[in-house]
Amino acid sequence: MACGGLMSAPVCLIENDENGKLCVRKQAKDILDGIKEPVVVVSVVGLYRTGKSYLMNRLAGQQSGFALGGTIESKTKGIWMWCVPHPNKEGHTLVLLDTEGLGDVDKGDEKHDTWIFCLAVLLSSTLVYNSLGVIDNMALEKLHYVTELTENIRVKAEGSRDEDESADFMRVFPSFVWAVRDFTLELTMGGDPITSDQYLESALKLKPGNSSQAERFNLPRRCLRHFFAVRKCFVFPRPASTQNMRKMEELTEKDLDSEFLEQANTFCHYIYDNADPKIVCGGRTITGTALGNLAEVYVESIRSGKVPCLENAVVSLSKIQNDRAVEQALESYMTEMLSKAQLPMDPADLSNIHTVAEKKAIEGFITMSFNDNDQIYQKELMRKIQNEYQDMCLQNHQASHMQCEAVLLEVFDTLEKGISDGLYLKPGGYRQYRDMLAQLAEEYKAKTKSQIMCEEVLSLHLKAKEEVGNMILRSDECLSAAEQEKEVQRLKNEIIEQRQRGLEEHNKLQEQAFKDMQRTHKEHIDQIIHQMEREHERIRRDNEQVLEAKLREKEILLQQGFQQDAARMQREIDSLKADMNKQETSQPSTMSKVLDGIGTAAALFLPGFIPKAAGIGLSWLSKRF
Ligand SMILES: Nc1nc2c(ncn2[C@@H]2O[C@H](COP(=O)(O)OP(=O)(O)O)[C@@H](O)[C@H]2O)c(=O)[nH]1
Ligand SMILES: [Mg+2]
């Protein structure tokens, strides 16, 4: 059972500020910010004093938490939030949103209620509508907020509002649960027992005819059927005696009606097992952090008098999330690099650390990034990591350079002293100098052989000492002019050979750098492909769910003799199928476009890099299509 492990008590998420405008409370936003895992968001709406907060407390597995309205006025203002570890979905947080009771006559602000209802719909993955008594026409009329959803929420950012906006709504809207409290009727129809779901569906039956009365009757039913693909109903008997119910928070399980308890448990388990993680347009699951951002984006658009738009929200959300995803991924990369790399080190080892750090960073980026459609942010991350890595390589060279120089100074110290004391300026001095130089060079190499800059530093040293060597040589009277000439040449060659070794060292580093680039590029591509596959699969699943719901709905309409509605449903089905087809066929070209894009971008900031994206892309495509 869930416990309040994340938060000991609910906090207010959205409320009216001093100007009467909705705002997101910072405290709640900060809590969401800290939740890096996907969230299952369950919100409850309905008239005030219908036991909503009580039901949410049960979902949290707590006796108390959301304040119950013991008096007639409702306690909850705006939207309250309680985040608890999900009781059976590991790695998920269950976010419970309790709304202010709708239709509280004292507050009398219809528009406020409408927005609270909209926000509950927009922010949740499961919407619980709570009402007392029975599902009759009155109960449905009270749910007029659903009929206003199309005016108050837009799915598409621009363009014509297509005929079938309901498919768009269905794809992104929460699933719907009707909780009927104090239910006293028998669940039967025509003498046969029915399930609570059948009870709901029968209440949602349309009235035949086109009269305005029939239209009015049908409107909320149509909206519910059209917007919410998954519908479920639970009926709860009265939980306790009237007297006991005044102190519900104090009642133990044994004081509660056993049938109520059973229903409450069934309800909770249905939610735990079936409520999906929250997704947004495009099928992406969102984390607590993103949920907080989403709440801010929606509230901001309501504050500024705009109709909240799901697609626009995703664009704003992407910007916020992706900027942070890049920043955090880079931070994770740097932390890993700085903690693991001890400069100077073997570039191959540094490269291995880089590979692991980069993989982690990209993984982190992918989980946090959001709708990074043209991989704009991923390319930015790729470039930034590459810069950091190059910097690190340079630092590694410099560190190695410094260590080699220090060894060199120490090793060659006696020779330097000898030179300045004029020790070698005597007959036979040159041979002495040369032997000493060769011996010390070996000693130096033995001490620095694991260093990347070993040869380079020695090469620079020999070059710098060329003149001194020549001077000692010329002043050595033991050698003939011819011998001297031969020695000068030999010295030159030695310097050239050492220079060559330095260059080889350099080339090895270049080779390593090139391998790193290829690996970096491949890592990005692999992860993008993986991500796109997951996304594609998710979209396909969502569409199939909507399609199934529409097919079911059409059958029911036909059975009930609503030919016109059924025909419209068929048109919606056809257009959805066409959409799905289009998505399937455009997938390969979208994929290769992405891979090309990443390849081209990589070529821009990975010097000497030749994008192989087309090749990788083609093999990927041929594997799947
Ligand atoms: N009749 C009835 N009252 C309930 C039920 N559950 C809780 N209550 C009581 O109704 C009052 C309002 O409950 P609350 O959860 O605050 O309602 P909310 O305003 O919808 O959030 C409290 O005194 C609860 O103890 C129920 O199933 N039926
Ligand atoms: Mg309440």
Side-chain angles (χ1 to χ4, degrees):
M1 183 58 66
C3 65
L6 289 173
M7 295 162 68
S8 55
V11 297
C12 184
L13 172 66
I14 293 167
E15 63 172 351
N16 273 337
D17 64 13
E18 61 277 13
N19 303 318
K21 285 194 162 187
L22 290 171
C23 67
V24 175
R25 274 257 197 113
K26 187 172 179 316
Q27 185 196 8
K29 173 77 174 28
D30 288 346
I31 291 170
L32 285 174
D33 228 19
I35 301 175
K36 309 287 182 205
E37 48 185 35
V39 282
V40 172
V41 191
V42 180
S43 62
V44 65
V45 290
L47 287 191
Y48 66 105
R49 296 264 300 147
T50 51
K52 296 185 299 296
S53 302
Y54 178 79
L55 195 62
M56 286 285 119
N57 286 343
R58 288 206 76 93
L59 272 181
Q62 301 287 308
Q63 183 84 6
S64 58
F66 289 114
L68 303 194
T71 59
I72 211 73
E73 120 223 56
S74 117
K75 281 262 169 71
T76 327
K77 293 207 167 73
I79 299 181
W80 284 65
M81 169 186 92
W82 202 357
C83 306
V84 298
H86 198 287
N88 56 3
K89 275 199 178 86
E90 208 171 309
H92 287 71
T93 297
L94 179 62
V95 179
L96 301 169
L97 299 181
D98 187 19
T99 59
E100 174 180 24
L102 305 176
D104 187 341
V105 272
D106 283 349
K107 295 207 188 78
D109 182 354
E110 262 301 294
K111 200 62 198 164
H112 173 82
D113 285 2
T114 303
W115 285 131
I116 293 293
F117 182 83
C118 285
L119 284 167
V121 170
L122 289 168
L123 296 176
S124 63
S125 50
T126 292
L127 179 77
V128 180
Y129 181 65
N130 194 68
S131 75
L132 276 186
V134 288
I135 305 182
D136 55 9
N137 200 36
M138 218 156 77
L140 275 154
E141 274 181 0
K142 280 185 188 138
L143 194 44
H144 59 91
Y145 302 100
V146 276
T147 64
E148 294 153 16
L149 279 175
T150 43
E151 292 152 40
N152 293 318
I153 295 175
R154 265 178 38 218
V155 177
K156 294 262 193 278
E158 51 192 43
S160 62
R161 309 188 78 172
D162 46 11
E163 188 195 350
D164 186 19
E165 217 173 25
S166 75
D168 295 330
F169 280 118
M170 266 189 176
R171 253 189 295 264
V172 288
F173 268 21
S175 55
F176 182 84
V177 176
W178 195 318
V180 190
R181 314 291 287 272
D182 294 0
F183 185 77
T184 48
L185 298 180
E186 286 234 12
L187 278 178
T188 55
M189 199 189 287
D192 296 325
I194 54 167
T195 64
S196 49
D197 293 338
Q198 286 168 327
Y199 172 64
L200 170 63
E201 290 311 306
S202 78
L204 296 185
K205 256 196 194 150
L206 301 180
K207 205 181 234 171
N210 295 325
S211 68
S212 63
Q213 196 206 4
E215 283 300 313
R216 245 190 73 184
F217 179 90
N218 288 341
L219 185 61
R221 291 166 173 82
R222 256 199 200 109
C223 288
L224 273 177
R225 296 167 77 134
H226 281 186
F227 298 155
F228 301 99
V230 183
R231 298 183 293 270
K232 189 84 192 151
C233 175
F234 290 90
V235 295
F236 303 76
R238 274 173 81 87
S241 66
T242 312
Q243 199 167 17
N244 268 346
M245 279 197 334
R246 290 200 194 100
K247 44 173 186 158
M248 284 275 283
E249 270 168 315
E250 295 157 28
L251 298 186
T252 60
E253 303 259 303
K254 68 174 171 24
D255 302 318
L256 293 169
D257 178 275
S258 64
E259 207 184 314
F260 173 84
L261 262 183
E262 197 185 309
Q263 274 303 311
N265 284 340
T266 315
F267 166 81
C268 287
H269 281 103
Y270 172 81
I271 298 285
Y272 300 152
D273 294 340
N274 297 287
D276 284 325
K278 170 74 183 156
I279 56 164
V280 288
C281 269
R284 290 294 307 266
T285 311
I286 60 167
T287 60
T289 316
L291 181 69
N293 290 329
L294 195 63
E296 262 186 349
V297 168
Y298 283 138
V299 165
E300 196 41 54
S301 69
I302 296 171
R303 278 177 76 93
S304 56
K306 291 191 209 112
V307 172
C309 166
L310 276 74
E311 247 178 28
N312 284 343
V314 170
V315 173
S316 312
L317 194 58
S318 325
K319 170 110 189 64
I320 301 171
Q321 291 278 123
N322 291 334
D323 278 336
R324 276 191 53 187
V326 170
E327 194 183 301
Q328 287 190 2
L330 196 64
E331 216 175 277
S332 124
Y333 173 80
M334 287 311 286
T335 313
E336 177 89 5
M337 287 300 273
L338 294 175
S339 69
K340 298 271 164 66
Q342 292 219 323
L343 304 186
M345 66 193 296
D346 183 339
D349 293 339
L350 183 61
S351 162
N352 287 338
I353 295 174
H354 156 73
T355 308
V356 174
E358 181 171 55
K359 191 175 165 64
K360 262 197 207 167
I362 301 173
E363 272 165 12
F365 170 81
I366 297 262
T367 13
M368 196 173 167
S369 76
F370 200 81
N371 255 40
D372 184 13
N373 280 334
D374 297 321
Q375 275 71 42
I376 294 171
Y377 292 89
Q378 190 162 351
K379 284 178 214 161
E380 185 185 328
L381 175 66
M382 199 169 165
R383 187 175 50 78
K384 285 190 164 160
I385 289 185
Q386 185 59 24
N387 283 347
E388 293 294 352
Y389 180 53
Q390 271 175 351
D391 242 30
M392 201 86 161
C393 288
L394 195 67
Q395 281 173 32
N396 193 33
H397 298 175
Q398 285 165 346
S400 172
H401 208 281
M402 271 165 64
Q403 277 198 359
C404 289
E405 262 179 358
V407 174
L408 191 115
L409 277 181
E410 194 191 307
V411 169
F412 283 80
D413 187 46
T414 37
L415 188 69
E416 288 301 314
K417 272 213 181 82
I419 294 171
S420 56
D421 292 348
L423 200 69
Y424 305 107
L425 297 174
K426 60 180 184 191
Y430 176 71
R431 177 159 293 276
Q432 237 183 324
Y433 167 78
R434 217 185 79 179
D435 291 350
M436 190 66 164
L437 188 69
Q439 183 199 330
L440 294 183
E442 283 314 308
E443 198 180 313
Y444 161 82
K445 278 193 187 180
K447 284 189 171 165
T448 55
K449 64 172 180 294
S450 62
Q451 293 279 1
I452 39 173
M453 287 289 142
C454 156
E455 305 286 358
E456 165 97 1
V457 169
L458 183 61
S459 158
L460 290 174
H461 183 71
L462 293 186
K463 181 80 192 139
K465 292 289 160 199
E466 186 179 7
E467 265 316 296
V468 180
N470 285 340
M471 199 252 303
I472 296 173
L473 177 64
R474 271 187 221 101
S475 56
D476 193 337
E477 289 155 9
C478 278
L479 298 171
S480 67
E483 276 173 327
Q484 280 193 2
E485 200 40 52
K486 215 172 115 200
E487 253 323 292
V488 168
Q489 206 47 52
R490 202 192 60 78
L491 211 62
K492 263 208 164 52
N493 287 343
E494 217 173 74
I495 289 170
I496 291 172
E497 275 165 30
Q498 185 55 39
R499 177 83 211 116
Q500 195 55 38
R501 281 196 286 274
L503 281 177
E504 273 163 26
E505 207 173 54
H506 191 72
N507 285 345
K508 250 177 36 207
L509 289 177
Q510 285 272 300
E511 234 170 76
Q512 180 69 55
F514 188 70
K515 267 197 228 150
D516 285 338
M517 283 176 213
Q518 295 285 9
R519 211 152 53 170
T520 289
H521 182 246
K522 186 172 176 311
E523 187 58 46
H524 278 271
I525 294 281
D526 282 355
Q527 298 225 27
I528 286 176
I529 289 178
H530 189 56
Q531 170 70 7
M532 285 187 85
E533 279 182 322
R534 275 192 311 212
E535 200 120 304
H536 187 66
E537 195 41 48
R538 218 178 284 143
I539 293 172
R540 197 195 327 237
R541 242 191 5 242
D542 286 349
N543 277 332
E544 268 161 16
Q545 213 180 31
V546 173
L547 188 65
E548 248 174 59
K550 285 192 178 284
L551 284 167
R552 239 184 1 247
E553 193 66 28
K554 189 192 93 179
E555 278 314 306
I556 295 170
L557 287 167
L558 276 178
Q559 277 166 19
Q560 295 172 357
F562 293 97
Q563 306 293 346
Q564 259 185 355
D565 285 274
R568 205 193 53 222
M569 196 55 73
Q570 184 58 48
R571 283 200 301 278
E572 293 179 10
I573 290 170
D574 292 342
S575 113
L576 182 60
K577 277 186 179 162
D579 266 5
M580 287 165 77
N581 258 337
K582 213 159 70 193
Q583 270 159 14
E584 286 300 321
T585 47
S586 68
Q587 172 74 353
S589 67
T590 316
M591 194 75 216
S592 54
K593 212 175 78 199
V594 166
L595 298 180
D596 276 355
I598 267 268
T600 318
L604 288 178
F605 55 81
L606 302 178
F609 173 79
I610 306 142
K612 283 195 182 161
I616 300 174
L618 283 180
S619 65
W620 181 85
L621 296 173
S622 62
K623 260 194 279 161
R624 286 159 181 82
F625 295 94

